[in-house]
Amino acid sequence: MRVLGVETSCDETGVAVYDSDTGLLAHLLYSQVKVHAEYGGVVPELASRDHVRKILPLIRQVLKDSGCGFADIGGIAYTAGPGLVGALMVGASVARAMAYAWNVPAIGVHHMEGHLLAPMLEANPPAFPFLALLVSGGHTQLVEVKGVGQYRILGESLDDAAGEAFDKTAKMLDLDYPGGPEVAKLAERGNSERFRFPRPMTDRPGLDFSFSGLKTFTLNTIAEHRQADGMPDDQTMADIACAFQDAVVDTLVIKCRRAIEQTGLHTLVIAGGVSANKLLRQRLETDMARRGAKVFYARHEFCTDNGAMIAYAGCQRMLAGQGDDLAIRAVPRWPMDTLAPVL
Ligand code: KG4
Ligand code: ZN
């Protein structure tokens, strides 16, 4: 079965064609980073308008790249949530309308399920069951995964998501949006011995996270080292980025370690934008290897938002006979543990 995937939940328009026999045939991504950069974050209305501009040319091109005519497409998967409602509506209405015109099924996919399954697109995919650490701009969750759609949330952030904390820290350090990769780059020049930031909620049992206090700690450290121009010197900024990244990564590693011990699982999947972070990958790999567990993640471009993960997730559900009615679905808030299992 060949499935066209459409992702428009935030600031990237992603499209892809996935074939259940041969794998990914083509994928394209248009990032709106430049549109939002001057505002220091995503402006929802501008995001929706840019999706409208880009979605049809991208779909036309991805069909061409995959060598598919519309008669070759057996179904359309689109991100139905969670995300920005206007942005979601663009992908949902285009996908649903095309499916109606082509007389094929359409399915609304959960964005975080897409992230969670993205490592399945790699040559050496993880086997169920596994523990998943989902770390994106909007979510930080530890999930026990028994199969597609069989999710038990073990812990999650009580306030900011890990990616959001990176983005806010970048803003405080006067770095560009999106901040995660910028903070990581600056941290490479930092001295990890100079500051030690707290590891929130690691001193008590449980698998929940909290990153907003870390943000305040960062702000206070910047204020303490402010110079005449209002910012700390370059080296201090790098040292702060380094201490911040260390604290987030350490906190995530500690919680993954706990979850692996608690569940007895031997496979850890990391997914979502922050799973592209090099230090996080390295530290988790070292720590998990010590416990006889293996870490899986997607290639860099499939860690952040993309259409391939949506095509893949939708395809799994369609192969199991699932599909939606004619409604156009856009669900800004949608708990992942309410999804139907694929048995
Ligand atoms: O999954 P994603 O593309 O979008 C959401 O679903 O939110 O994640 C985007 C988030 C942003 O907060 C971005 O700063 C962060 O992932 N990110 C990173 C890195 N690359 C992206 N954070 C830390 N290190 C990175 N290398
Ligand atoms: Zn995402």
Side-chain angles (χ1 to χ4, degrees):
M1 180 183 207
R2 285 183 177 172
V3 173
L4 171 68
V6 176
E7 154 65 38
T8 64
S9 67
C10 190
D11 59 346
E12 347 248 15
T13 319
V15 294
V17 179
Y18 178 80
D19 182 314
S20 54
D21 294 326
T22 56
L24 192 63
L25 298 183
H27 75 97
L28 289 171
L29 186 81
Y30 170 76
S31 169
Q32 304 178 348
V33 162
K34 284 205 188 100
V35 175
H36 305 290
E38 64 175 297
Y39 303 97
V42 181
V43 182
E45 180 58 24
L46 295 182
S48 311
R49 291 183 197 190
D50 221 25
H51 286 307
V52 170
R53 268 191 287 270
K54 292 294 187 289
I55 191 163
L56 287 175
L58 279 173
I59 291 175
R60 244 179 243 126
Q61 189 60 45
V62 85
L63 287 175
K64 211 165 164 190
D65 292 356
S66 63
C68 291
F70 71 80
D72 300 312
I73 300 296
I76 305 183
Y78 63 91
T79 305
L84 303 170
V85 72
L88 289 168
M89 278 302 287
V90 178
S93 42
V94 167
R96 185 55 268 182
M98 280 174 56
Y100 185 72
W102 294 355
N103 199 22
V104 294
I107 193 162
V109 170
H110 192 289
H111 180 78
M112 297 312 291
E113 175 172 76
H115 276 304
L116 192 152
L117 297 176
M120 298 295 189
L121 291 162
E122 300 306 326
N124 180 22
F128 298 115
F130 55 74
L131 175 74
L133 172 70
L134 302 181
V135 269
S136 71
H139 293 79
T140 303
Q141 292 180 319
L142 272 165
V143 188
E144 185 179 7
V145 181
K146 292 211 172 111
V148 178
Q150 299 177 59
Y151 309 129
R152 191 160 71 96
I153 313 281
L154 303 176
E156 60 192 331
S157 181
L158 306 177
D159 40 57
D160 292 356
E164 191 179 356
F166 266 100
D167 294 338
K168 287 178 176 169
T169 295
K171 223 173 185 176
M172 290 186 242
L173 291 170
D174 213 14
L175 300 172
D176 286 340
Y177 160 86
E182 298 293 322
V183 172
K185 203 163 84 190
L186 182 60
E188 280 175 21
R189 294 197 281 111
N191 170 5
S192 59
E193 305 293 316
R194 176 144 173 226
F195 300 111
R196 186 176 164 86
F197 284 20
R199 274 64 173 152
M201 293 185 71
T202 54
D203 57 351
R204 67 191 91 161
L207 296 170
D208 286 334
F209 304 88
S210 163
F211 291 110
S212 76
L214 202 49
K215 188 178 60 191
T216 314
F217 198 91
T218 307
L219 192 64
N220 291 342
T221 311
I222 293 173
E224 277 163 29
H225 294 83
R226 216 161 251 160
Q227 294 189 311
D229 67 353
M231 292 302 280
D233 64 75
D234 283 354
Q235 187 56 50
T236 303
M237 300 260 274
D239 296 343
I240 290 173
C242 185
F244 167 81
Q245 180 178 240
D246 252 9
V248 173
V249 167
D250 228 22
T251 304
L252 294 173
V253 172
I254 292 168
K255 298 281 167 147
C256 283
R257 188 186 300 154
R258 253 184 223 174
I260 282 284
E261 278 165 7
Q262 196 174 304
T263 56
L265 291 165
H266 298 286
T267 307
L268 172 67
V269 163
I270 53 172
V274 184
S275 71
N277 186 279
K278 245 192 321 191
L279 186 75
L280 178 65
R281 290 176 172 200
Q282 283 166 359
R283 292 250 182 102
L284 277 174
E285 270 168 340
T286 314
D287 197 86
M288 289 298 135
R290 262 190 233 132
R291 273 151 245 283
K294 208 163 169 238
V295 183
F296 290 81
Y297 41 78
R299 75 195 81 158
H300 206 279
E301 60 190 326
F302 294 162
C303 288
T304 43
D305 293 349
N306 65 86
M309 66 185 195
I310 302 304
Y312 178 85
C315 185
Q316 304 316 303
R317 291 189 172 275
M318 285 188 192
L319 287 173
Q322 295 183 12
D324 291 344
D325 56 19
L326 291 178
I328 294 167
R329 297 179 64 209
V331 198
R333 286 175 189 277
W334 184 7
M336 200 170 67
D337 51 6
T338 60
L339 297 182
V342 171
L343 301 168

mmCIF file with all atom_site columns, all heavy atoms in Angstrom, residues 73-99:
data_model
loop_
_atom_site.group_PDB
_atom_site.id
_atom_site.type_symbol
_atom_site.label_atom_id
_atom_site.label_alt_id
_atom_site.label_comp_id
_atom_site.label_asym_id
_atom_site.label_entity_id
_atom_site.label_seq_id
_atom_site.pdbx_PDB_ins_code
_atom_site.Cartn_x
_atom_site.Cartn_y
_atom_site.Cartn_z
_atom_site.occupancy
_atom_site.B_iso_or_equiv
_atom_site.pdbx_formal_charge
_atom_site.auth_seq_id
_atom_site.auth_comp_id
_atom_site.auth_asym_id
_atom_site.auth_atom_id
_atom_site.pdbx_PDB_model_num
ATOM 1   N N   . ILE A 1 73 ? -1.812  5.953  -5.288 1.00 0.00 ? 73 ILE A N   1
ATOM 2   C CA  . ILE A 1 73 ? -1.923  6.245  -3.851 1.00 0.00 ? 73 ILE A CA  1
ATOM 3   C C   . ILE A 1 73 ? -3.157  5.541  -3.277 1.00 0.00 ? 73 ILE A C   1
ATOM 4   O O   . ILE A 1 73 ? -4.277  5.748  -3.743 1.00 0.00 ? 73 ILE A O   1
ATOM 5   C CB  . ILE A 1 73 ? -2.020  7.789  -3.616 1.00 0.00 ? 73 ILE A CB  1
ATOM 6   C CG1 . ILE A 1 73 ? -0.772  8.496  -4.170 1.00 0.00 ? 73 ILE A CG1 1
ATOM 7   C CG2 . ILE A 1 73 ? -2.225  8.111  -2.142 1.00 0.00 ? 73 ILE A CG2 1
ATOM 8   C CD1 . ILE A 1 73 ? 0.532   8.148  -3.493 1.00 0.00 ? 73 ILE A CD1 1
ATOM 9   N N   . GLY A 1 74 ? -2.920  4.735  -2.240 1.00 0.00 ? 74 GLY A N   1
ATOM 10  C CA  . GLY A 1 74 ? -4.007  3.955  -1.659 1.00 0.00 ? 74 GLY A CA  1
ATOM 11  C C   . GLY A 1 74 ? -4.659  4.629  -0.458 1.00 0.00 ? 74 GLY A C   1
ATOM 12  O O   . GLY A 1 74 ? -5.698  4.180  0.032  1.00 0.00 ? 74 GLY A O   1
ATOM 13  N N   . GLY A 1 75 ? -4.050  5.701  0.053  1.00 0.00 ? 75 GLY A N   1
ATOM 14  C CA  . GLY A 1 75 ? -4.621  6.390  1.204  1.00 0.00 ? 75 GLY A CA  1
ATOM 15  C C   . GLY A 1 75 ? -3.823  7.647  1.536  1.00 0.00 ? 75 GLY A C   1
ATOM 16  O O   . GLY A 1 75 ? -2.671  7.771  1.117  1.00 0.00 ? 75 GLY A O   1
ATOM 17  N N   . ILE A 1 76 ? -4.450  8.549  2.281  1.00 0.00 ? 76 ILE A N   1
ATOM 18  C CA  . ILE A 1 76 ? -3.761  9.788  2.668  1.00 0.00 ? 76 ILE A CA  1
ATOM 19  C C   . ILE A 1 76 ? -3.787  9.928  4.190  1.00 0.00 ? 76 ILE A C   1
ATOM 20  O O   . ILE A 1 76 ? -4.833  9.798  4.817  1.00 0.00 ? 76 ILE A O   1
ATOM 21  C CB  . ILE A 1 76 ? -4.409  11.027 2.010  1.00 0.00 ? 76 ILE A CB  1
ATOM 22  C CG1 . ILE A 1 76 ? -4.456  10.845 0.480  1.00 0.00 ? 76 ILE A CG1 1
ATOM 23  C CG2 . ILE A 1 76 ? -3.627  12.301 2.378  1.00 0.00 ? 76 ILE A CG2 1
ATOM 24  C CD1 . ILE A 1 76 ? -5.003  12.025 -0.290 1.00 0.00 ? 76 ILE A CD1 1
ATOM 25  N N   . ALA A 1 77 ? -2.602  10.153 4.747  1.00 0.00 ? 77 ALA A N   1
ATOM 26  C CA  . ALA A 1 77 ? -2.487  10.363 6.201  1.00 0.00 ? 77 ALA A CA  1
ATOM 27  C C   . ALA A 1 77 ? -2.110  11.821 6.438  1.00 0.00 ? 77 ALA A C   1
ATOM 28  O O   . ALA A 1 77 ? -1.241  12.351 5.751  1.00 0.00 ? 77 ALA A O   1
ATOM 29  C CB  . ALA A 1 77 ? -1.401  9.446  6.752  1.00 0.00 ? 77 ALA A CB  1
ATOM 30  N N   . TYR A 1 78 ? -2.778  12.451 7.386  1.00 0.00 ? 78 TYR A N   1
ATOM 31  C CA  . TYR A 1 78 ? -2.440  13.840 7.696  1.00 0.00 ? 78 TYR A CA  1
ATOM 32  C C   . TYR A 1 78 ? -2.361  14.012 9.201  1.00 0.00 ? 78 TYR A C   1
ATOM 33  O O   . TYR A 1 78 ? -2.983  13.263 9.953  1.00 0.00 ? 78 TYR A O   1
ATOM 34  C CB  . TYR A 1 78 ? -3.464  14.813 7.093  1.00 0.00 ? 78 TYR A CB  1
ATOM 35  C CG  . TYR A 1 78 ? -4.873  14.652 7.638  1.00 0.00 ? 78 TYR A CG  1
ATOM 36  C CD1 . TYR A 1 78 ? -5.308  15.382 8.747  1.00 0.00 ? 78 TYR A CD1 1
ATOM 37  C CD2 . TYR A 1 78 ? -5.781  13.761 7.049  1.00 0.00 ? 78 TYR A CD2 1
ATOM 38  C CE1 . TYR A 1 78 ? -6.592  15.244 9.246  1.00 0.00 ? 78 TYR A CE1 1
ATOM 39  C CE2 . TYR A 1 78 ? -7.064  13.611 7.540  1.00 0.00 ? 78 TYR A CE2 1
ATOM 40  C CZ  . TYR A 1 78 ? -7.469  14.358 8.649  1.00 0.00 ? 78 TYR A CZ  1
ATOM 41  O OH  . TYR A 1 78 ? -8.741  14.207 9.146  1.00 0.00 ? 78 TYR A OH  1
ATOM 42  N N   . THR A 1 79 ? -1.594  14.985 9.652  1.00 0.00 ? 79 THR A N   1
ATOM 43  C CA  . THR A 1 79 ? -1.510  15.255 11.089 1.00 0.00 ? 79 THR A CA  1
ATOM 44  C C   . THR A 1 79 ? -2.799  15.923 11.540 1.00 0.00 ? 79 THR A C   1
ATOM 45  O O   . THR A 1 79 ? -3.118  17.023 11.083 1.00 0.00 ? 79 THR A O   1
ATOM 46  C CB  . THR A 1 79 ? -0.309  16.170 11.402 1.00 0.00 ? 79 THR A CB  1
ATOM 47  O OG1 . THR A 1 79 ? 0.849   15.563 10.862 1.00 0.00 ? 79 THR A OG1 1
ATOM 48  C CG2 . THR A 1 79 ? -0.152  16.371 12.900 1.00 0.00 ? 79 THR A CG2 1
ATOM 49  N N   . ALA A 1 80 ? -3.528  15.266 12.442 1.00 0.00 ? 80 ALA A N   1
ATOM 50  C CA  . ALA A 1 80 ? -4.790  15.828 12.938 1.00 0.00 ? 80 ALA A CA  1
ATOM 51  C C   . ALA A 1 80 ? -4.593  16.551 14.268 1.00 0.00 ? 80 ALA A C   1
ATOM 52  O O   . ALA A 1 80 ? -5.484  17.221 14.769 1.00 0.00 ? 80 ALA A O   1
ATOM 53  C CB  . ALA A 1 80 ? -5.813  14.721 13.088 1.00 0.00 ? 80 ALA A CB  1
ATOM 54  N N   . GLY A 1 81 ? -3.416  16.410 14.897 1.00 0.00 ? 81 GLY A N   1
ATOM 55  C CA  . GLY A 1 81 ? -3.138  17.078 16.158 1.00 0.00 ? 81 GLY A CA  1
ATOM 56  C C   . GLY A 1 81 ? -2.071  16.320 16.906 1.00 0.00 ? 81 GLY A C   1
ATOM 57  O O   . GLY A 1 81 ? -1.665  15.260 16.429 1.00 0.00 ? 81 GLY A O   1
ATOM 58  N N   . PRO A 1 82 ? -1.587  16.782 18.039 1.00 0.00 ? 82 PRO A N   1
ATOM 59  C CA  . PRO A 1 82 ? -1.808  18.143 18.544 1.00 0.00 ? 82 PRO A CA  1
ATOM 60  C C   . PRO A 1 82 ? -0.968  19.142 17.755 1.00 0.00 ? 82 PRO A C   1
ATOM 61  O O   . PRO A 1 82 ? -0.028  18.750 17.073 1.00 0.00 ? 82 PRO A O   1
ATOM 62  C CB  . PRO A 1 82 ? -1.328  18.044 20.007 1.00 0.00 ? 82 PRO A CB  1
ATOM 63  C CG  . PRO A 1 82 ? -0.526  16.802 20.118 1.00 0.00 ? 82 PRO A CG  1
ATOM 64  C CD  . PRO A 1 82 ? -0.805  15.944 18.932 1.00 0.00 ? 82 PRO A CD  1
ATOM 65  N N   . GLY A 1 83 ? -1.342  20.414 17.858 1.00 0.00 ? 83 GLY A N   1
ATOM 66  C CA  . GLY A 1 83 ? -0.615  21.445 17.125 1.00 0.00 ? 83 GLY A CA  1
ATOM 67  C C   . GLY A 1 83 ? -1.419  22.734 17.071 1.00 0.00 ? 83 GLY A C   1
ATOM 68  O O   . GLY A 1 83 ? -2.411  22.888 17.776 1.00 0.00 ? 83 GLY A O   1
ATOM 69  N N   . LEU A 1 84 ? -0.992  23.638 16.207 1.00 0.00 ? 84 LEU A N   1
ATOM 70  C CA  . LEU A 1 84 ? -1.678  24.918 16.036 1.00 0.00 ? 84 LEU A CA  1
ATOM 71  C C   . LEU A 1 84 ? -2.914  24.675 15.179 1.00 0.00 ? 84 LEU A C   1
ATOM 72  O O   . LEU A 1 84 ? -2.799  24.113 14.083 1.00 0.00 ? 84 LEU A O   1
ATOM 73  C CB  . LEU A 1 84 ? -0.763  25.919 15.327 1.00 0.00 ? 84 LEU A CB  1
ATOM 74  C CG  . LEU A 1 84 ? 0.577   26.194 15.992 1.00 0.00 ? 84 LEU A CG  1
ATOM 75  C CD1 . LEU A 1 84 ? 1.475   27.012 15.066 1.00 0.00 ? 84 LEU A CD1 1
ATOM 76  C CD2 . LEU A 1 84 ? 0.349   26.924 17.308 1.00 0.00 ? 84 LEU A CD2 1
ATOM 77  N N   . VAL A 1 85 ? -4.075  25.106 15.666 1.00 0.00 ? 85 VAL A N   1
ATOM 78  C CA  . VAL A 1 85 ? -5.303  24.680 14.992 1.00 0.00 ? 85 VAL A CA  1
ATOM 79  C C   . VAL A 1 85 ? -5.386  25.170 13.548 1.00 0.00 ? 85 VAL A C   1
ATOM 80  O O   . VAL A 1 85 ? -5.800  24.428 12.650 1.00 0.00 ? 85 VAL A O   1
ATOM 81  C CB  . VAL A 1 85 ? -6.551  25.034 15.836 1.00 0.00 ? 85 VAL A CB  1
ATOM 82  C CG1 . VAL A 1 85 ? -6.836  26.523 15.832 1.00 0.00 ? 85 VAL A CG1 1
ATOM 83  C CG2 . VAL A 1 85 ? -7.743  24.233 15.347 1.00 0.00 ? 85 VAL A CG2 1
ATOM 84  N N   . GLY A 1 86 ? -4.969  26.404 13.294 1.00 0.00 ? 86 GLY A N   1
ATOM 85  C CA  . GLY A 1 86 ? -5.037  26.935 11.927 1.00 0.00 ? 86 GLY A CA  1
ATOM 86  C C   . GLY A 1 86 ? -4.113  26.169 10.994 1.00 0.00 ? 86 GLY A C   1
ATOM 87  O O   . GLY A 1 86 ? -4.485  25.830 9.861  1.00 0.00 ? 86 GLY A O   1
ATOM 88  N N   . ALA A 1 87 ? -2.922  25.880 11.476 1.00 0.00 ? 87 ALA A N   1
ATOM 89  C CA  . ALA A 1 87 ? -1.933  25.142 10.680 1.00 0.00 ? 87 ALA A CA  1
ATOM 90  C C   . ALA A 1 87 ? -2.438  23.722 10.410 1.00 0.00 ? 87 ALA A C   1
ATOM 91  O O   . ALA A 1 87 ? -2.369  23.226 9.283  1.00 0.00 ? 87 ALA A O   1
ATOM 92  C CB  . ALA A 1 87 ? -0.602  25.111 11.413 1.00 0.00 ? 87 ALA A CB  1
ATOM 93  N N   . LEU A 1 88 ? -2.990  23.091 11.439 1.00 0.00 ? 88 LEU A N   1
ATOM 94  C CA  . LEU A 1 88 ? -3.541  21.738 11.282 1.00 0.00 ? 88 LEU A CA  1
ATOM 95  C C   . LEU A 1 88 ? -4.665  21.721 10.244 1.00 0.00 ? 88 LEU A C   1
ATOM 96  O O   . LEU A 1 88 ? -4.752  20.806 9.420  1.00 0.00 ? 88 LEU A O   1
ATOM 97  C CB  . LEU A 1 88 ? -4.101  21.228 12.614 1.00 0.00 ? 88 LEU A CB  1
ATOM 98  C CG  . LEU A 1 88 ? -3.094  20.879 13.712 1.00 0.00 ? 88 LEU A CG  1
ATOM 99  C CD1 . LEU A 1 88 ? -3.821  20.684 15.042 1.00 0.00 ? 88 LEU A CD1 1
ATOM 100 C CD2 . LEU A 1 88 ? -2.314  19.608 13.366 1.00 0.00 ? 88 LEU A CD2 1
ATOM 101 N N   . MET A 1 89 ? -5.511  22.749 10.299 1.00 0.00 ? 89 MET A N   1
ATOM 102 C CA  . MET A 1 89 ? -6.670  22.810 9.405  1.00 0.00 ? 89 MET A CA  1
ATOM 103 C C   . MET A 1 89 ? -6.258  22.800 7.935  1.00 0.00 ? 89 MET A C   1
ATOM 104 O O   . MET A 1 89 ? -6.956  22.241 7.092  1.00 0.00 ? 89 MET A O   1
ATOM 105 C CB  . MET A 1 89 ? -7.502  24.081 9.682  1.00 0.00 ? 89 MET A CB  1
ATOM 106 C CG  . MET A 1 89 ? -8.455  23.960 10.853 1.00 0.00 ? 89 MET A CG  1
ATOM 107 S SD  . MET A 1 89 ? -9.642  22.624 10.670 1.00 0.00 ? 89 MET A SD  1
ATOM 108 C CE  . MET A 1 89 ? -10.717 23.314 9.437  1.00 0.00 ? 89 MET A CE  1
ATOM 109 N N   . VAL A 1 90 ? -5.118  23.426 7.639  1.00 0.00 ? 90 VAL A N   1
ATOM 110 C CA  . VAL A 1 90 ? -4.662  23.486 6.242  1.00 0.00 ? 90 VAL A CA  1
ATOM 111 C C   . VAL A 1 90 ? -4.379  22.075 5.733  1.00 0.00 ? 90 VAL A C   1
ATOM 112 O O   . VAL A 1 90 ? -4.929  21.637 4.713  1.00 0.00 ? 90 VAL A O   1
ATOM 113 C CB  . VAL A 1 90 ? -3.405  24.376 6.096  1.00 0.00 ? 90 VAL A CB  1
ATOM 114 C CG1 . VAL A 1 90 ? -2.930  24.379 4.648  1.00 0.00 ? 90 VAL A CG1 1
ATOM 115 C CG2 . VAL A 1 90 ? -3.681  25.786 6.578  1.00 0.00 ? 90 VAL A CG2 1
ATOM 116 N N   . GLY A 1 91 ? -3.535  21.342 6.465  1.00 0.00 ? 91 GLY A N   1
ATOM 117 C CA  . GLY A 1 91 ? -3.180  19.984 6.036  1.00 0.00 ? 91 GLY A CA  1
ATOM 118 C C   . GLY A 1 91 ? -4.393  19.074 6.042  1.00 0.00 ? 91 GLY A C   1
ATOM 119 O O   . GLY A 1 91 ? -4.601  18.266 5.131  1.00 0.00 ? 91 GLY A O   1
ATOM 120 N N   . ALA A 1 92 ? -5.216  19.206 7.090  1.00 0.00 ? 92 ALA A N   1
ATOM 121 C CA  . ALA A 1 92 ? -6.379  18.322 7.238  1.00 0.00 ? 92 ALA A CA  1
ATOM 122 C C   . ALA A 1 92 ? -7.369  18.535 6.106  1.00 0.00 ? 92 ALA A C   1
ATOM 123 O O   . ALA A 1 92 ? -7.871  17.565 5.517  1.00 0.00 ? 92 ALA A O   1
ATOM 124 C CB  . ALA A 1 92 ? -7.054  18.579 8.583  1.00 0.00 ? 92 ALA A CB  1
ATOM 125 N N   . SER A 1 93 ? -7.655  19.796 5.763  1.00 0.00 ? 93 SER A N   1
ATOM 126 C CA  . SER A 1 93 ? -8.670  20.008 4.730  1.00 0.00 ? 93 SER A CA  1
ATOM 127 C C   . SER A 1 93 ? -8.152  19.624 3.353  1.00 0.00 ? 93 SER A C   1
ATOM 128 O O   . SER A 1 93 ? -8.882  19.040 2.553  1.00 0.00 ? 93 SER A O   1
ATOM 129 C CB  . SER A 1 93 ? -9.231  21.438 4.768  1.00 0.00 ? 93 SER A CB  1
ATOM 130 O OG  . SER A 1 93 ? -8.212  22.356 4.962  1.00 0.00 ? 93 SER A OG  1
ATOM 131 N N   . VAL A 1 94 ? -6.874  19.915 3.079  1.00 0.00 ? 94 VAL A N   1
ATOM 132 C CA  . VAL A 1 94 ? -6.318  19.523 1.774  1.00 0.00 ? 94 VAL A CA  1
ATOM 133 C C   . VAL A 1 94 ? -6.289  17.991 1.656  1.00 0.00 ? 94 VAL A C   1
ATOM 134 O O   . VAL A 1 94 ? -6.723  17.421 0.654  1.00 0.00 ? 94 VAL A O   1
ATOM 135 C CB  . VAL A 1 94 ? -4.902  20.124 1.583  1.00 0.00 ? 94 VAL A CB  1
ATOM 136 C CG1 . VAL A 1 94 ? -4.187  19.479 0.409  1.00 0.00 ? 94 VAL A CG1 1
ATOM 137 C CG2 . VAL A 1 94 ? -5.000  21.630 1.390  1.00 0.00 ? 94 VAL A CG2 1
ATOM 138 N N   . ALA A 1 95 ? -5.793  17.324 2.706  1.00 0.00 ? 95 ALA A N   1
ATOM 139 C CA  . ALA A 1 95 ? -5.678  15.865 2.664  1.00 0.00 ? 95 ALA A CA  1
ATOM 140 C C   . ALA A 1 95 ? -7.059  15.211 2.549  1.00 0.00 ? 95 ALA A C   1
ATOM 141 O O   . ALA A 1 95 ? -7.268  14.298 1.745  1.00 0.00 ? 95 ALA A O   1
ATOM 142 C CB  . ALA A 1 95 ? -4.951  15.362 3.907  1.00 0.00 ? 95 ALA A CB  1
ATOM 143 N N   . ARG A 1 96 ? -7.992  15.687 3.360  1.00 0.00 ? 96 ARG A N   1
ATOM 144 C CA  . ARG A 1 96 ? -9.337  15.081 3.351  1.00 0.00 ? 96 ARG A CA  1
ATOM 145 C C   . ARG A 1 96 ? -10.019 15.290 1.996  1.00 0.00 ? 96 ARG A C   1
ATOM 146 O O   . ARG A 1 96 ? -10.657 14.392 1.438  1.00 0.00 ? 96 ARG A O   1
ATOM 147 C CB  . ARG A 1 96 ? -10.148 15.703 4.499  1.00 0.00 ? 96 ARG A CB  1
ATOM 148 C CG  . ARG A 1 96 ? -11.522 15.172 4.796  1.00 0.00 ? 96 ARG A CG  1
ATOM 149 C CD  . ARG A 1 96 ? -11.618 13.695 5.065  1.00 0.00 ? 96 ARG A CD  1
ATOM 150 N NE  . ARG A 1 96 ? -11.894 12.953 3.840  1.00 0.00 ? 96 ARG A NE  1
ATOM 151 C CZ  . ARG A 1 96 ? -12.078 11.646 3.738  1.00 0.00 ? 96 ARG A CZ  1
ATOM 152 N NH1 . ARG A 1 96 ? -12.004 10.882 4.813  1.00 0.00 ? 96 ARG A NH1 1
ATOM 153 N NH2 . ARG A 1 96 ? -12.319 11.066 2.598  1.00 0.00 ? 96 ARG A NH2 1
ATOM 154 N N   . ALA A 1 97 ? -9.867  16.499 1.421  1.00 0.00 ? 97 ALA A N   1
ATOM 155 C CA  . ALA A 1 97 ? -10.492 16.800 0.133  1.00 0.00 ? 97 ALA A CA  1
ATOM 156 C C   . ALA A 1 97 ? -9.869  15.955 -0.980 1.00 0.00 ? 97 ALA A C   1
ATOM 157 O O   . ALA A 1 97 ? -10.581 15.419 -1.843 1.00 0.00 ? 97 ALA A O   1
ATOM 158 C CB  . ALA A 1 97 ? -10.347 18.286 -0.187 1.00 0.00 ? 97 ALA A CB  1
ATOM 159 N N   . MET A 1 98 ? -8.540  15.808 -0.955 1.00 0.00 ? 98 MET A N   1
ATOM 160 C CA  . MET A 1 98 ? -7.883  15.004 -1.984 1.00 0.00 ? 98 MET A CA  1
ATOM 161 C C   . MET A 1 98 ? -8.308  13.546 -1.886 1.00 0.00 ? 98 MET A C   1
ATOM 162 O O   . MET A 1 98 ? -8.535  12.880 -2.895 1.00 0.00 ? 98 MET A O   1
ATOM 163 C CB  . MET A 1 98 ? -6.359  15.121 -1.842 1.00 0.00 ? 98 MET A CB  1
ATOM 164 C CG  . MET A 1 98 ? -5.840  16.407 -2.463 1.00 0.00 ? 98 MET A CG  1
ATOM 165 S SD  . MET A 1 98 ? -4.087  16.650 -2.168 1.00 0.00 ? 98 MET A SD  1
ATOM 166 C CE  . MET A 1 98 ? -3.443  15.187 -2.810 1.00 0.00 ? 98 MET A CE  1
ATOM 167 N N   . ALA A 1 99 ? -8.408  13.042 -0.674 1.00 0.00 ? 99 ALA A N   1
ATOM 168 C CA  . ALA A 1 99 ? -8.812  11.655 -0.486 1.00 0.00 ? 99 ALA A CA  1
ATOM 169 C C   . ALA A 1 99 ? -10.240 11.444 -1.023 1.00 0.00 ? 99 ALA A C   1
ATOM 170 O O   . ALA A 1 99 ? -10.534 10.413 -1.641 1.00 0.00 ? 99 ALA A O   1
ATOM 171 C CB  . ALA A 1 99 ? -8.735  11.273 0.991  1.00 0.00 ? 99 ALA A CB  1
#
